[in-house]
Amino acid sequence: MTSREKILADVRKNQPPISGLPDMQVWESKGLAKTDVLETFKMVAGNVGGKVIEVKDLAEIKSHLNITPGTRVLTTISALFDVADNAADYQDATPHELENVELAILPAEFGVAENSALWVTETQMGTRVLPFICQHLALVVSAATIVPDMHTAYLRTQNTDHGFAAFVAGPSKTADIEQSLVLGAHGPRSLIIFLLP
């Protein structure tokens, strides 16, 4: 037996017993009222540098946008195509072709109260790089889809098949420079969450 074989045999012999994954169903309900979940979501979003704006419908979003002429704005929300270009048209674009996107307005499938993360799929992004390369990001989510925690969020994403999806929380940030929080360090400089009923 070679040294390698002996080491691998010892590792196999001394492994801990295999245990099953925890039952995630126990986390599904925390008994929180829906209003508590929404208030937690809004508070945490503010704490991580985001801004939540409650709107009654998609048309009201336009009144909160301050788009200067010539600014490049992309969205995958058809109701906003009169103020922004269709991001799906850039699905095959290189990241360099999207480097001057000032604002991306994208729908989110659902949000998570405990960390204000929003689940955004590749279909909702139009192109994978868009929510990470734009200067400013706006995500649109229904208040009815906010879940209390990541345990519930992972249950919600089970049995879904996406080529790419991500949880997005707040604008990009870093705190490793002299222990000072810097927003917009390596991605969107701001995040606005439009909260629909």
Side-chain angles (χ1 to χ4, degrees):
M1 179 180 287
T2 66
S3 315
R4 179 181 184 275
E5 291 168 338
K6 182 180 180 335
I7 291 169
L8 291 175
D10 287 344
V11 168
R12 278 189 217 95
K13 185 171 53 175
N14 292 304
Q15 286 185 351
I18 295 174
S19 59
L21 295 173
D23 180 10
M24 297 302 289
Q25 299 297 327
V26 299
W27 298 97
E28 193 168 2
S29 174
K30 296 242 182 177
L32 290 175
K34 195 63 180 173
T35 54
D36 293 339
V37 170
L38 288 175
E39 290 307 311
T40 299
F41 178 82
K42 291 189 284 188
M43 179 191 66
V44 174
N47 289 346
V48 298
K51 180 179 179 182
V52 177
I53 300 174
E54 295 184 63
V55 293
K56 64 181 184 299
D57 55 29
L58 290 171
E60 189 182 340
I61 291 173
K62 298 174 194 176
S63 68
H64 295 281
L65 300 176
N66 186 15
I67 302 171
T68 55
T71 300
R72 191 166 183 204
V73 181
L74 297 180
T75 187
T76 55
I77 302 170
S78 59
L80 302 176
F81 286 164
D82 58 330
V83 295
D85 293 332
N86 186 351
D89 293 343
Y90 298 91
Q91 185 174 4
D92 297 322
T94 66
H96 297 290
E97 294 173 79
L98 298 171
E99 67 183 354
N100 65 345
V101 174
E102 186 67 19
L103 173 65
I105 310 166
L106 307 173
E109 193 170 309
F110 66 90
V112 184
E114 75 175 348
N115 59 9
S116 76
L118 294 148
W119 179 249
V120 186
T121 68
E122 183 173 23
T123 303
Q124 294 165 320
M125 294 175 192
T127 180
R128 291 180 181 188
V129 74
L130 186 56
F132 310 106
I133 202 168
C134 60
Q135 291 296 311
H136 303 278
L137 178 61
L139 295 174
V140 181
V141 68
S142 169
T145 65
I146 306 297
V147 298
D149 53 38
M150 288 300 290
H151 300 289
T152 311
Y154 284 126
L155 287 172
R156 184 165 174 157
T157 62
Q158 282 182 349
N159 303 320
T160 58
D161 186 18
H162 303 291
F164 179 79
F167 282 105
V168 177
S172 67
K173 60 188 81 55
T174 183
D176 60 350
I177 303 166
E178 298 180 5
Q179 297 179 350
S180 176
L181 180 63
V182 177
L183 297 178
H186 42 73
R189 295 184 292 165
S190 69
L191 172 66
I192 297 174
I193 302 166
F194 290 108
L195 197 59
L196 292 166

